[in-house]
Amino acid sequence: MGMQLTETTEKLPTGIDYAAFMALREQGKSFAYAERDAILYALATGMGHDPLDEQELKFAFEQSADFSVLPTFGVVVARSMLPRTLPVNMAMLLHGEQRLTIHRPMPRAAKLLADTRLTDILDKGAGKGALIYFETAARLADSGEPLFTLAGTLFARGDGGFGGRSGPVPAVHELPSRAPDHVGRRDA
């Protein structure tokens, strides 16, 4: 899949080979985090803004009786390099969407194993780009218990026209018809 240019004026063909891309895997990649990492993430998201708010404090203070890791920490703790190694024009690559499915609460600290794969690639046409769908499934290293699944879409604006199918696009997440579980307000 590597390519070397012999002249600086040589034009790169599209880098997408559907079968080769779909065969790519990143299996059993190790990740680890400590309480400190989870707390720094919580503080970076604004938790602990009000030091008397016990709902926030449980994410930002390790001695809190019900210390918890923010569930969205999964988005940053097990980042795969696989999507970043694809031979597409990185200058034209955009983050399209992100989905996080939580299988259980995240432990205070943990060693994880994660598997990443591409789930689909849609060709929007020459000059229109391609949609690259990927999924990372993370599990606890010691027990193998599933922790979360992270899925996302990359929009490769410069890599359409490789001859692949153009759809169907996965269904858009429907908003629930009920009231929210929780509403957060920030007055300051």
Side-chain angles (χ1 to χ4, degrees), residues 26-33 41 72-85 90 93-98 100 106 112-117 134-139 148-154:
E26 190 176 69
Q27 298 288 106
K29 185 166 181 184
S30 295
F31 296 94
Y33 67 91
Y41 174 78
T72 55
F73 185 51
V75 172
V76 298
V77 76
R79 304 238 0 197
S80 170
M81 291 302 292
L82 181 65
R84 284 169 258 185
T85 63
M90 290 295 172
L93 190 67
L94 296 174
H95 179 272
E97 61 184 333
Q98 194 91 45
L100 176 65
M106 295 192 62
L112 310 176
L113 295 174
D115 304 321
T116 301
R117 66 188 181 93
F134 67 92
E135 178 180 273
T136 298
R139 62 192 181 281
F148 59 85
T149 302
L150 179 63
T153 305
L154 300 172

Side-chain angles (χ1 to χ4, degrees), residues 60-165:
F61 181 55
E62 71 276 11
Q63 293 180 17
S64 173
D66 58 347
F67 177 79
S68 300
V69 176
L70 271 175
T72 55
F73 185 51
V75 172
V76 298
V77 76
R79 304 238 0 197
S80 170
M81 291 302 292
L82 181 65
R84 284 169 258 185
T85 63
L86 300 174
V88 296
N89 183 343
M90 290 295 172
M92 300 286 284
L93 190 67
L94 296 174
H95 179 272
E97 61 184 333
Q98 194 91 45
R99 293 175 303 284
L100 176 65
T101 303
I102 302 163
H103 304 297
R104 59 155 294 185
M106 295 192 62
R108 299 173 77 102
K111 291 182 180 176
L112 310 176
L113 295 174
D115 304 321
T116 301
R117 66 188 181 93
L118 299 184
T119 57
D120 205 357
I121 305 170
L122 300 180
D123 187 353
K124 302 319 277 178
K128 295 182 181 178
L131 297 174
I132 302 171
Y133 297 90
F134 67 92
E135 178 180 273
T136 298
R139 62 192 181 281
L140 295 173
D142 57 356
S143 68
E145 184 178 358
L147 193 54
F148 59 85
T149 302
L150 179 63
T153 305
L154 300 172
F155 181 30
R157 297 181 304 144
D159 292 284
F162 61 90
R165 60 189 182 77

